[in-house]
Amino acid sequence: MDTRTVIESGLAVSLAVNLAMAVVFWTRHTYPGFGYWLTGTLCRTAALTLLLLPRDQFPPWLTIILPNYAMLLELMLYVRGTHLFRGVPLRFGWEIIVSLSFIGLIFHFSYSVPSFSARLLTLSIYWGLLECWLAWLLLLRRPAYFGSGDWLQAGVWIVLSVSNVVRVGLIWTSAETLAPGITTLPLSQNLLFLLIIMSFILIALSQKVMNAQRLEYDYRVSQEQLEQVAYHDALTGLPNRRLLHDRLALALASSKRSGLGGALMLLDLDNFKPLNDEHGHAVGDLLLIEVARRLSTTVREVDTVARLGGDEFVVVLNGLSADEAVAGGQARMIAEKIRFALARPYILTVTHDGEADAIVEHRCTASIGGALFDRGADQESILKRADKAMYQAKDVGRDAVVFVASSSQPADLAVSANFVHLHWHSAYECGHPLIDAHHRGLFEIANRLLTAILSDHSKDEVAMLIDLLVRDVSQH
């Protein structure tokens, strides 16, 4: 097969590839960079067309210099397009340096020192370097949507770069000097043209697959973002009211199926509005975010923490004991952990332009109302009972836990201010913020322990509070 036949075959394949890529570009969603790839294939078609022109009828700049530069321009457009497709910044200007140096060498080996082998050697070196650049970009700068199309194109560029290295070696060893005259390598040249023709198809296919895979990835990400917006609170990231109803329905169904207990707790922050009034909603948002974080780290992984809106939160407990009394003790223990976690001082850092602008220390407690799952209870009745228990906690002095064992039993109050309560006075302060905060924490633990003992909480809960108080005192 002579060189002209190979070029004609490559031109036919290139035209078909151009048509296919143009259809994809105009009829489907394509990302930035795909247009550069399409333009690159058009440069290849133009180069092959110019190579078929009779050199005895046209000047060398049209039949030699321009087609060689068009083939180099194809790869430069691929580099630019791949960077743009990947979202990797690439400054303009390098193309000018590469273009001027390449055109200067091809012009020299076309007019000053005519040599086919020298032109082929120059083109192979430039091609090999750009192909290695493309393979590096595809393999080492892999985005989340990296897939089979990227692997395919990277493999093609690696094979082509290796073939160019081989061709450089063959030219270098077969031509003693880059002297005037044409040194041809028909076999290696034709084999390389056949390899390039095959690469036309594989590269175009990989580019289409890359675009499709990124489109599928972005669609999946957009769906996840829509679900996040639809089912989660925008500020805290916790499940919102809609997702809460789904989780509560699943928890009730699981409790009925397995026979295990469950509970729902409603929480309302006691001292939230003064913070908003004094420091603004931005600081209030920081407090809500920190409350959400503390709630999420206090409960178990199987439980659900949701935000109803404002300063109201919900906790759904799953997998409690099948015995109602034991389940009530487990639920109270978790509620006390939550109450204690939320009562710790809040250090809120207000930032402006990425820098700390002010630090606000705030103390905020929570009124917690809870209700255990009943066999025949539905979501509405459980929410109503928990809401009623929460308002009872507020009525008895706030910073309290009120639990309803079942719809047929009265509320079992577990209120820290119902019996004996240790009050912190400013006279107790030593002046050091950290030490004073620790002392206030000891008062809170002691109050919880008094509440647990006097309201006949479970032995496990009392033991837990004693251990907590002893540990904090020993650390102090």
Side-chain angles (χ1 to χ4, degrees):
M1 182 182 296
D2 59 8
T3 302
R4 186 176 183 85
T5 303
V6 174
I7 295 177
E8 290 174 349
S9 302
L11 180 59
V13 173
S14 183
L15 287 171
V17 169
N18 285 342
L19 179 61
M21 292 191 68
V23 169
V24 173
F25 183 75
W26 290 111
T27 62
R28 299 184 183 181
H29 174 71
T30 56
Y31 290 90
F34 199 92
Y36 281 93
W37 295 339
L38 175 59
T39 308
T41 62
L42 293 174
C43 289
R44 178 203 313 139
T45 302
L48 294 176
T49 303
L50 293 174
L51 286 175
L52 292 175
L53 295 177
R55 297 187 178 179
D56 56 345
Q57 300 178 18
F58 295 91
W61 68 265
L62 184 61
T63 59
I64 298 176
I65 297 177
L66 192 57
N68 276 273
Y69 177 68
M71 286 187 285
L72 178 70
L73 184 60
E74 174 194 1
L75 282 183
M76 289 195 296
L77 288 170
Y78 281 163
V79 170
R80 172 66 63 180
T82 304
H83 271 266
L84 191 59
F85 185 85
R86 279 279 199 270
V88 180
L90 180 64
R91 292 183 178 179
F92 285 95
W94 69 271
E95 295 99 334
I96 298 176
I97 299 175
V98 172
S99 299
L100 291 177
S101 61
F102 179 80
I103 292 174
L105 289 171
I106 296 298
F107 184 88
H108 175 72
F109 293 124
S110 299
Y111 285 95
S112 302
V113 185
S115 174
F116 173 77
S117 61
R119 293 195 301 269
L120 196 59
L121 182 66
T122 302
L123 183 62
S124 299
I125 292 174
Y126 277 79
W127 267 6
L129 293 175
L130 291 175
E131 287 159 356
C132 287
W133 187 356
L134 281 164
W136 170 85
L137 179 62
L138 289 167
L139 292 178
L140 298 184
R141 302 296 295 269
R142 290 184 287 182
Y145 52 82
F146 187 90
S148 57
D150 303 76
W151 282 115
L152 175 60
Q153 186 165 161
V156 172
W157 292 129
I158 291 173
V159 171
L160 288 177
S161 62
V162 171
S163 69
N164 277 290
V165 172
V166 172
R167 183 164 67 169
V168 168
L170 290 174
I171 296 173
W172 195 268
T173 56
S174 62
E176 295 181 358
T177 60
L178 300 177
I182 299 177
T183 303
T184 59
L185 299 170
L187 179 60
S188 62
Q189 181 183 348
N190 291 341
L191 289 177
L192 182 63
F193 267 116
L194 289 174
L195 178 62
I196 292 175
I197 290 174
M198 293 178 58
S199 71
F200 291 168
I201 303 173
L202 294 178
I203 291 172
L205 177 63
S206 66
Q207 289 166 344
K208 180 180 179 301
V209 173
M210 288 167 62
N211 189 81
Q213 288 175 337
R214 181 175 174 182
L215 183 63
E216 180 184 357
Y217 171 80
D218 285 353
Y219 174 77
R220 187 168 63 251
V221 170
S222 64
Q223 288 295 108
E224 293 175 355
Q225 291 174 345
L226 287 175
E227 291 180 2
Q228 178 72 19
V229 172
Y231 293 102
H232 291 81
D233 176 58
L235 177 64
T236 62
L238 295 177
N240 59 14
R241 187 183 297 269
R242 180 184 298 180
L243 184 56
L244 169 65
H245 285 297
D246 292 342
R247 296 278 182 88
L248 183 55
L250 290 175
L252 288 171
S254 176
S255 177
K256 291 178 181 179
R257 183 174 60 255
S258 64
L260 297 177
L264 181 140
M265 294 185 293
L266 279 176
L267 297 84
D268 187 85
L269 302 182
D270 297 326
N271 195 27
F272 178 70
K273 189 175 183 301
L275 177 69
N276 260 348
D277 295 340
E278 182 178 355
H279 299 283
H281 291 284
V283 178
D285 289 345
L286 292 176
L287 177 68
L288 293 175
I289 294 172
E290 176 61 17
V291 168
R293 188 194 66 81
R294 293 186 186 185
L295 286 173
S296 299
T297 56
T298 302
V299 300
R300 305 163 302 172
E301 291 185 1
V302 296
D303 301 327
T304 296
V305 179
R307 183 188 177 203
L308 285 183
D311 59 348
E312 288 189 342
F313 295 85
V314 177
V315 177
V316 179
L317 303 178
N318 298 296
L320 300 180
S321 173
D323 183 86
E324 185 174 359
V326 178
Q330 293 173 335
R332 288 193 197 93
M333 186 178 299
I334 296 174
E336 284 293 340
K337 287 182 180 179
I338 291 174
R339 188 175 69 87
F340 180 69
L342 298 184
R344 296 200 310 268
Y346 293 85
I347 308 298
L348 308 174
T349 303
V350 183
T351 59
H352 181 70
D353 294 334
E355 297 183 358
D357 186 43
I359 297 178
V360 177
E361 181 177 355
H362 185 70
R363 300 186 61 81
C364 183
T365 57
S367 297
I368 304 174
L372 296 177
F373 290 174
D374 288 340
R375 292 296 179 185
D378 56 10
Q379 294 189 40
E380 185 177 357
S381 63
I382 293 177
L383 284 168
K384 284 183 177 180
R385 287 191 288 120
D387 186 67
K388 182 179 179 181
M390 183 189 71
Y391 279 103
Q392 289 176 350
K394 284 186 173 294
D395 291 340
V396 295
R398 305 187 177 189
D399 188 21
V401 174
V402 173
F403 239 92
V404 178
S406 68
S407 57
S408 59
Q409 295 179 358
D412 175 21
L413 296 182
V415 184
S416 61
N418 205 23
F419 300 101
V420 178
H421 192 82
L422 301 178
H423 293 278
W424 174 266
H425 298 285
S426 59
Y428 300 153
E429 296 180 354
C430 69
H432 194 287
L434 293 178
I435 296 177
D436 289 337
H438 186 77
H439 286 167
R440 284 194 296 267
L442 293 177
F443 269 61
E444 292 172 359
I445 298 174
N447 285 328
R448 292 173 56 198
L449 179 59
L450 289 171
T451 299
I453 295 173
L454 296 175
S455 57
D456 197 23
H457 284 191
S458 66
K459 293 181 180 179
D460 291 339
E461 185 176 353
V462 173
M464 180 199 71
L465 292 172
I466 293 175
D467 291 340
L468 185 60
L469 181 61
V470 171
R471 184 172 66 249
D472 279 17
V473 171
S474 62
Q475 289 176 353
H476 180 69

